[in-house]
Amino acid sequence: MRYKTTFRHFLALMLALIIGTNAHAFPENLKDLKQPVTNEALFNLINEVQKEDHISVSVEGKSVQGNPLYLLRFHHSPKPKWRLFFHAQQHGNETSGKDALTSLIKELAQDKSLLPEDVDLYIMPLVNPDGAATYSRRNAAGADLNRDHILLLQPETQALHRVGRRIMPHIVVDGHEFKRDTGDYLDKGWKEWPVIMMGTANSPLYSPALYDLGKQWIDKVGQNMQRLGHNYERYFLAYYPPHGELRYSTLEGDDGRNSFGLYYHSLSFIIESGVYRSIVEDPFFDIAQRTSAYLSIYKQFIQDATSRTEELEAIEASRSAPVIPYIATNFFWGSDGNFDHTSKAIDLDTGETVEFTAPNFMTKRVVKRYVKTPHAYAIRSSNVDLIKPLLERHEIEYEVVSKKRNMSVETCFLLALENDYDEVYERYEGRQIVRCKPAQMREFQEGSLVVRLNSLQAKEVIVTIEPQMLYGLFQYKAFAELADSSNEIGVYRVME
Ligand SMILES: [Zn+2]
């Protein structure tokens, strides 16, 4: 045994020496992809393609373990007008977005005519290289990067947002994977029907015009997926009846997840391709199919300019609009009474597509509570140590009060934190229950901060520090601890 093992190791070593890094190279034909692209193979490809005139490569930061966070830029006219930003694999075990982007990088390097003259394409193929290396969801610090968009504590999410702020993309696409064999379906002897799904940002804080244009893209991509024979649907979270409701996802702009473009007034999308995690031995057996579906969507975003004029106008209008007068602080999915949505699944025994009716397909965004938008937020001097670095991570501008100042402010109190999943509204844990008293004059000490709401960054400011957002800053322990003995949280709403 011992001899045999040693001999096998020797053979493996020889093979590795002979083949070198090519063992991990991307196959000539995408159909032959059998495994996710390794970090090493991706980094090698990036090094190779940066010699091309129309490609520039930058390192936008380092992961927790020191891996480079690469950004590739593709363009070949001096002033391209349309900026696209594709990023993937915030979750290290969700690979096919990155695999498709690897294929795209390779194709674009070989044939620059695939890129229209007016397109400026930015690709961050691998946001979480440490998680990718161990095929785990979280980064090396144990953080779920897609839950770090308010705090921006991780170098990976910091880099992502630095890039977002710098390039102000018109379209952002965030790549993920979902589980096709969830318990509720398996209990019925089914697996999920879609191979790939796409959702668009739809927080009530987001421009309604951008939401409508996002839905148009969901349909346009659907037509193309149908032509190509990929099972495609609008992204929904599926819980099978009786207790389960189906609802569209990416409403969660209130904690930044899945809604990157909200901050930058971009058309904002999430793609999710379906992976079997429990019913097959090799989760990568269909990786070529998933990657190819993904790749077709990326290409459509590059090449389909049919609604671009309208999109540019809506994006520019959103970027220059005055600050919204009211802030929706508590919202969820609801239904207007149309309970008979038909959905599809695949029977595990026969492989046939079955149709079923869900009792409550929640199709409407419902705002449960809103508040008047303040002119600014004031932060008492005792909270500055924690909140100033947070503002700086978001590059949010603030003024430091240089001598005592009186301002009319609403004082806010943290009444409770709810750390359970909300079964009623199908929403996640971490709700902060905050009430604010009507505005009164109050004195602010030297060293306090004032954050004004300018239109371009207003939504980022609101999502980050508005005390009454249901899923806001004070759901996080360090910030909840800022509340004093009377539960006053020390972030004030400046009303005039
Ligand atoms: Zn994910």
Side-chain angles (χ1 to χ4, degrees):
M1 280 306 282
R2 189 188 154 80
Y3 170 78
K4 210 170 149 192
T5 308
T6 312
F7 185 63
R8 278 215 326 246
H9 281 167
F10 174 74
L11 274 184
L13 181 70
M14 289 313 290
L15 206 63
L17 283 172
I18 292 162
I19 301 173
T21 52
N22 287 333
H24 301 294
F26 202 81
E28 242 355 274
N29 193 327
L30 183 52
K31 279 199 216 89
D32 300 324
L33 187 67
K34 298 274 189 288
Q35 291 277 322
V37 175
T38 60
N39 291 2
E40 188 193 8
L42 176 66
F43 297 166
N44 286 343
L45 175 69
I46 292 172
N47 274 323
E48 238 168 75
V49 302
Q50 65 182 340
K51 296 174 209 126
E52 303 294 327
D53 286 344
H54 63 301
I55 305 176
S56 43
V57 174
S58 50
V59 175
E60 298 294 332
K62 291 269 167 82
S63 69
V64 170
Q65 289 181 332
N67 279 306
L69 303 170
Y70 284 114
L71 177 73
L72 292 88
R73 181 185 178 198
F74 298 77
H75 70 108
H76 46 76
S77 92
K79 280 200 171 160
K81 282 197 223 86
W82 188 242
R83 294 184 296 278
L84 301 174
F85 180 31
F86 301 156
H87 64 89
Q89 216 166 343
Q90 286 189 71
H91 293 142
N93 60 345
E94 300 177 10
T95 72
S96 40
K98 182 271 315 282
D99 298 330
L101 288 175
T102 306
S103 185
L104 183 65
I105 290 167
K106 214 176 140 204
E107 282 188 51
L108 286 168
Q110 283 162 358
D111 179 5
K112 63 176 166 187
S113 73
L114 291 173
L115 190 74
E117 278 290 324
D118 54 353
V119 171
D120 200 357
L121 171 64
Y122 293 84
I123 298 179
M124 199 183 238
L126 180 55
V127 176
N128 183 3
D130 301 348
T134 54
Y135 196 61
S136 46
R137 178 178 175 93
R138 292 165 182 263
N139 75 349
D144 183 330
L145 298 181
N146 200 26
R147 304 292 181 270
D148 187 48
H149 291 269
I150 291 184
L151 296 186
L152 293 187
L153 287 173
Q154 303 306 317
E156 295 89 349
T157 29
Q158 288 166 10
L160 193 58
H161 282 268
R162 274 198 304 271
V163 171
R165 281 190 296 268
R166 190 175 81 227
I167 67 181
M168 290 299 280
H170 297 104
I171 287 186
V172 179
V173 185
D174 178 11
H176 289 259
E177 287 178 350
F178 72 96
K179 194 167 172 267
R180 261 184 106 182
D181 44 4
T182 49
D184 290 336
Y185 278 77
L186 292 185
D187 290 348
K188 289 272 172 187
W190 298 344
K191 59 188 183 184
E192 290 203 35
W193 180 80
V195 167
I196 197 153
M197 302 198 277
M198 189 167 98
T200 188
N202 50 11
S203 157
L205 297 169
Y206 194 60
S207 148
L210 294 183
Y211 177 43
D212 288 342
L213 289 164
K215 283 191 291 189
Q216 279 183 30
W217 265 107
I218 289 175
D219 293 341
K220 278 201 288 190
V221 167
Q223 286 152 19
N224 198 33
M225 289 291 102
Q226 195 172 8
R227 207 161 34 236
L228 295 168
H230 297 297
N231 293 6
Y232 165 91
E233 285 199 74
R234 181 173 175 184
Y235 179 30
F236 61 81
L237 295 182
Y239 304 91
Y240 192 76
H243 55 270
E245 288 139 321
L246 304 181
R247 66 170 171 88
Y248 295 131
S249 189
T250 70
L251 179 73
E252 347 286 25
D254 47 6
D255 76 346
R257 72 174 79 170
N258 299 354
S259 296
F260 187 82
L262 169 74
Y263 292 146
Y264 309 109
H265 306 259
S266 318
L267 281 163
S268 186
F269 301 94
I270 182 169
I271 302 180
E272 296 259 353
S273 83
V275 181
Y276 298 104
R277 298 214 188 266
S278 51
I279 60 172
V280 295
E281 233 170 78
D282 174 14
F284 309 123
F285 83 97
D286 61 348
I287 189 171
Q289 184 199 11
R290 287 185 269 126
T291 303
S292 131
Y294 238 115
L295 183 60
S296 303
I297 301 182
Y298 285 133
K299 285 184 176 169
Q300 193 173 353
F301 274 117
I302 294 172
Q303 282 153 0
D304 186 341
T306 47
S307 39
R308 191 171 299 164
T309 310
E310 225 183 317
E311 287 161 5
L312 264 173
E313 269 170 30
I315 291 164
E316 270 152 29
S318 178
R319 287 178 181 171
S320 58
V323 177
I324 43 171
Y326 294 96
I327 302 170
T329 53
N330 181 354
F331 42 90
F332 55 92
W333 282 110
S335 166
D336 60 355
N338 179 13
F339 292 140
D340 52 356
H341 179 87
T342 300
S343 197
K344 287 180 208 157
I346 296 173
D347 190 290
L348 285 172
D349 291 334
T350 64
E352 303 269 308
T353 300
V354 288
E355 289 200 341
F356 67 92
T357 303
N360 185 4
F361 195 74
M362 298 198 278
T363 53
K364 304 280 182 208
R365 299 178 301 173
V366 178
V367 174
K368 193 179 170 198
R369 186 159 179 263
Y370 63 88
V371 297
K372 197 168 185 299
T373 307
H375 291 292
Y377 295 97
I379 291 129
R380 73 176 167 208
S381 49
S382 58
N383 286 9
V384 164
D385 284 352
L386 202 56
I387 293 186
K388 202 163 90 173
L390 171 78
L391 299 173
E392 284 167 356
R393 292 196 292 275
H394 282 275
E395 289 175 36
I396 290 171
E397 287 175 15
Y398 57 83
E399 179 203 345
V400 182
V401 172
S402 57
K403 58 175 194 227
K404 274 184 197 171
R405 184 187 300 177
N406 288 312
M407 288 183 273
S408 171
V409 298
E410 291 181 3
T411 301
C412 302
F413 299 86
L414 181 62
L415 303 185
L417 282 173
E418 296 179 356
N419 285 315
D420 292 325
Y421 184 81
D422 179 348
E423 294 285 350
V424 178
Y425 298 118
E426 296 277 3
R427 296 212 69 191
Y428 43 92
E429 65 291 342
R431 288 173 298 282
Q432 54 180 33
I433 313 299
V434 170
R435 288 294 173 270
C436 303
K437 284 201 309 204
Q440 279 184 321
M441 288 306 281
R442 187 181 175 108
E443 189 180 78
F444 285 84
Q445 303 299 315
E446 184 187 328
S448 301
L449 304 182
V450 176
V451 181
R452 283 174 222 290
L453 291 166
N454 76 62
S455 61
L456 205 55
Q457 256 193 315
K459 286 169 184 168
E460 193 167 359
V461 173
I462 290 166
V463 170
T464 308
I465 58 172
E466 165 58 48
Q468 290 169 105
M469 290 301 290
L470 187 64
Y471 294 92
L473 184 62
F474 296 93
Q475 69 179 289
Y476 303 105
K477 196 164 174 276
F479 291 89
E481 284 170 358
L482 288 175
D484 62 19
S485 54
S486 65
N487 297 326
E488 190 178 324
I489 57 182
V491 173
Y492 304 87
R493 309 179 78 243
V494 182
M495 300 314 284
E496 56 187 66

